Amino acid sequence: MMKASLLFILSFLVFSISVSTNSSFTSAAEAPEPVRDVAGKMLRTDRHYYILPAANVFDKFRGGGLTLSGIGKNTCPAAVFQETSEQKNGIPLAFLPVNPKKGVVRVSTDLNIKFAYPETCGQSPVWSIDNYVYPSGDSFVNIGGVVGNPGPKTLSSWFKIEKFGYQEYKLVYCPAVCSYCKVICKDVGIEFQNGKRRLHLTTDYPLRVVFKKA
């Protein structure tokens, strides 16, 4: 009787360890990989980074980091642009995932992008798409978005970071925070406007980027 009890206990322990190990492997496999900066370190939600264009031997005019600027005659800096000079890193940004896990920023995950900049022109420094309902037309990246509160009312404020090459990334508008909402997924690219580089949504040439700790 005692031998049978011992065998039962041992079998139970082996089964428990096996289930726990398999569960751990499954969880690890399901977690998207972390986004890494140019130093190879994981991006953290409590730090700020520059978004810089990745080096490309085919692009002689790749520009610098990202900044804010006015549109046309409107001098209020409410639209997101790329610096024309490679010497300028732009304004640092923070990345705020919809479900932050241990403070790590991961690929293929809905997140808000926020300038390390005070509210300007009555707009929050959070990125937002101005024409997300009908993105078949011109859709540009502005500020005035909302942090958190995932759902249909905040669709314009959610972006993703995706791998795009060996150590490079691209920014994507493809929110998954609303299961029943219809969205058209596009990459974030550059459109030239009066000699300036404005961020917009594209299906042709995404902006290839890397991240540098500020």
Side-chain angles (χ1 to χ4, degrees), residues 99-110:
N99 291 315
K101 294 181 179 179
K102 299 182 180 179
V104 176
V105 179
R106 299 183 181 276
V107 299
S108 307
T109 301
D110 286 291

Side-chain angles (χ1 to χ4, degrees), residues 107-121:
V107 299
S108 307
T109 301
D110 286 291
L111 50 79
N112 300 126
I113 302 177
K114 180 181 179 182
F115 278 113
Y117 201 78
E119 182 177 301
T120 179
C121 304

